[in-house]
């Protein structure tokens, strides 16, 4: 079998939004793991970066500031990878659904 061809088609089902720095939705706090930067958000999930290695298939609990109040929720980690390796730290990226 050959390699799948990349067509450049958008595979996302929902429109993504990148939170602005300082906006309440720009960070979320994992129940176990601390603060993470929100790379982008959609109706169906979020892409986050932070110091915690998350495993696909796991449920995570988090808190995020909303417009009028803080919101607590649970999400499924659908994919995860190392985003950056520095001499003093590793940053991970994970997609939550």
């Amino acid at each position: 079998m050959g390699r799948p061809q990349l067509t450049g088609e958008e595979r996302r089902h929902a429109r993504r939004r990148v939170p602005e720095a300082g906006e309440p939705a720009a960070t979320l706090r994992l129940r176990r793991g601390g603060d993470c930067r929100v790379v982008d958000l959609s109706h169906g999930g979020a892409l986050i970066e932070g110091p915690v290695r998350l495993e696909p298939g796991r449920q995570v609990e988090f808190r995020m500031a909303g417009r009028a109040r803080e919101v607590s929720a649970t999400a499924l980690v659908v994919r995860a990878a190392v985003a950056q390796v520095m001499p003093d730290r590793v940053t991970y990226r994970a997609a939550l659904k």
Side-chain angles (χ1 to χ4, degrees):
M1 289 199 166
R3 283 183 159 178
Q5 292 192 8
L6 300 177
T7 62
E9 275 183 45
E10 179 62 59
R11 296 177 305 155
R12 297 173 178 169
H13 298 289
R15 181 178 235 178
R16 299 286 192 246
R17 185 176 79 76
V18 177
E20 294 183 26
E23 178 182 349
T27 60
L28 61 78
R29 177 163 292 192
L30 295 173
R31 181 171 181 211
R32 295 184 179 150
D35 292 342
C36 292
R37 180 177 76 87
V38 176
V39 177
D40 65 35
L41 289 166
S42 74
H43 179 70
L47 183 62
I48 64 169
E49 274 189 1
V52 179
R53 181 176 165 255
L54 299 174
E55 297 178 23
R58 296 282 200 173
Q59 295 282 327
V60 293
E61 294 179 43
F62 65 91
R63 290 179 176 226
M64 177 182 262
R67 291 183 183 165
R69 61 185 171 87
E70 191 172 82
V71 176
S72 295
T74 302
L76 175 68
V77 179
V78 293
R79 68 178 181 278
V82 173
Q84 184 178 38
V85 177
M86 301 292 286
D88 59 339
R89 72 180 179 275
V90 176
T91 301
Y92 300 93
R93 186 174 270 204
L96 307 179
K97 181 177 178 182

